[in-house]
Amino acid sequence: MWASVKKILAKSNLLNQALGDVVFETPEIKGGYPRSFLQWRVKKSVEGDQYFVALRMRPDAYAGPEGEPVNYMNFDIEAAQRLRSDLDLCIREYHRLMGDASAQGRARGE
């Protein structure tokens, strides 16, 4: 039954990404507001055949017309440099996982 549910969820790009498993994440970096944060993640799709680099955040504030918020976060230079480093780390992890996935596909004859 779970396999058929996975196939249905995977048809929606949004659900496929949102409900996939987190396979790697960086520590949260705090923003200008005490409860705000930003975090990079690598997620595996629901069916497990794709990976996504994801951004998880609680913004400092948001504003926007007609309910479509534009989110803003402010970081000092040290935090901005850590964010860049964390994103680079997630990109490397993505490529490592894709290399593992393509090697597994070759082993299965795909």
Side-chain angles (χ1 to χ4, degrees):
M1 179 176 153
W2 178 238
S4 60
V5 171
K6 278 184 172 183
K7 286 183 182 187
I8 292 169
L9 294 175
K11 289 181 183 179
S12 164
N13 196 35
L14 177 62
L15 291 176
N16 194 16
Q17 293 176 23
L19 299 177
D21 294 326
V22 174
V23 295
F24 179 81
E25 62 186 2
T26 63
E28 291 179 359
I29 295 179
K30 301 297 178 193
Y33 181 70
R35 293 182 49 203
S36 65
F37 64 86
L38 185 142
Q39 178 186 50
W40 293 109
R41 295 172 152 194
V42 176
K43 293 184 78 176
K44 184 186 281 191
S45 66
V46 170
E47 288 190 310
D49 59 344
Q50 289 179 287
Y51 292 95
F52 306 98
V53 174
L55 173 66
R56 178 177 173 251
M57 67 179 280
R58 179 179 296 135
D60 291 333
Y62 65 89
E66 301 173 15
E68 294 187 34
V70 176
N71 297 313
Y72 301 92
M73 291 186 72
N74 303 288
F75 300 96
D76 59 25
I77 191 64
E78 290 82 14
Q81 289 171 327
R82 285 195 321 270
L83 287 168
R84 180 179 62 192
S85 175
D86 287 350
L87 177 57
D88 288 341
L89 183 61
C90 276
I91 290 170
R92 284 192 304 272
E93 182 68 8
Y94 170 90
H95 286 296
R96 186 189 71 77
L97 290 165
M98 287 304 296
D100 290 352
S102 63
Q104 290 172 1
R106 286 191 303 269
R108 289 191 306 256
E110 297 175 356

